[in-house]
Amino acid sequence: MPSAAYDAGMPPSGIAPEGRRGGSSSTGLASARADRTIRALSWWWASAPLLLFAPAIAQAMGLPDVRREVGWAFALMALFTAVLAPAAGLVVARVGDRPEARGRFLIMAVLSGVPIFFFLFFGVLFPECPDGYHC
């Protein structure tokens, strides 16, 4: 004999509707995509120092033309990587609801921001002060 819950349109005990179980394939697929994207962005950010030092490495290996001709391109790619990877990672971690990844990308953003700040301060702003003046 059916129970009152079954008559009210609810499934028998122990069986949850498909939407409440969390076992739908779209949620698992989105979760796996978010994890792969977070991993790829983390590796991309980790490649920034290699990009920055690639012209010096090429010169040490006997290829001085690389540093003279396209050294600026490697520096620009390293800067682009150091800024864009943590920003994109924060967005993916927020959308994918990954709090541990959000913390990781915040740390990456701070670590990327420190050398950029020092470059701007000591490379651009500080040299503009004339000798003898305290800016």
Side-chain angles (χ1 to χ4, degrees):
M1 183 175 320
S3 67
Y6 185 74
D7 292 336
M10 297 174 59
S13 63
I15 301 174
E18 189 66 32
R20 291 186 188 169
R21 231 184 293 165
S24 65
S25 62
S26 65
T27 305
L29 185 60
S31 174
R33 282 184 186 161
D35 289 340
R36 281 193 304 263
T37 305
I38 287 169
R39 188 176 304 118
L41 288 170
S42 297
W43 280 105
W44 184 33
W45 179 80
S47 72
L50 183 62
L51 288 170
L52 185 62
F53 295 120
I57 293 169
Q59 184 174 1
M61 292 177 60
L63 302 168
D65 294 337
V66 172
R67 189 171 193 167
R68 275 184 297 219
E69 302 288 328
V70 292
W72 61 272
F74 280 100
L76 191 60
M77 285 189 318
L79 178 66
F80 184 70
T81 296
V83 171
L84 190 63
L90 280 169
V91 170
V92 171
R94 178 79 171 188
V95 170
D97 194 30
R98 299 285 191 274
E100 67 281 348
R102 261 185 275 166
R104 181 186 336 156
F105 284 114
L106 282 173
I107 292 170
M108 287 179 186
V110 169
L111 289 175
S112 294
V114 169
I116 293 169
F117 172 74
F118 277 112
F119 171 74
L120 288 175
F121 183 74
F122 291 111
V124 177
L125 300 176
F126 191 67
E128 290 182 4
C129 291
D131 291 336
Y133 290 95
H134 299 286
C135 294

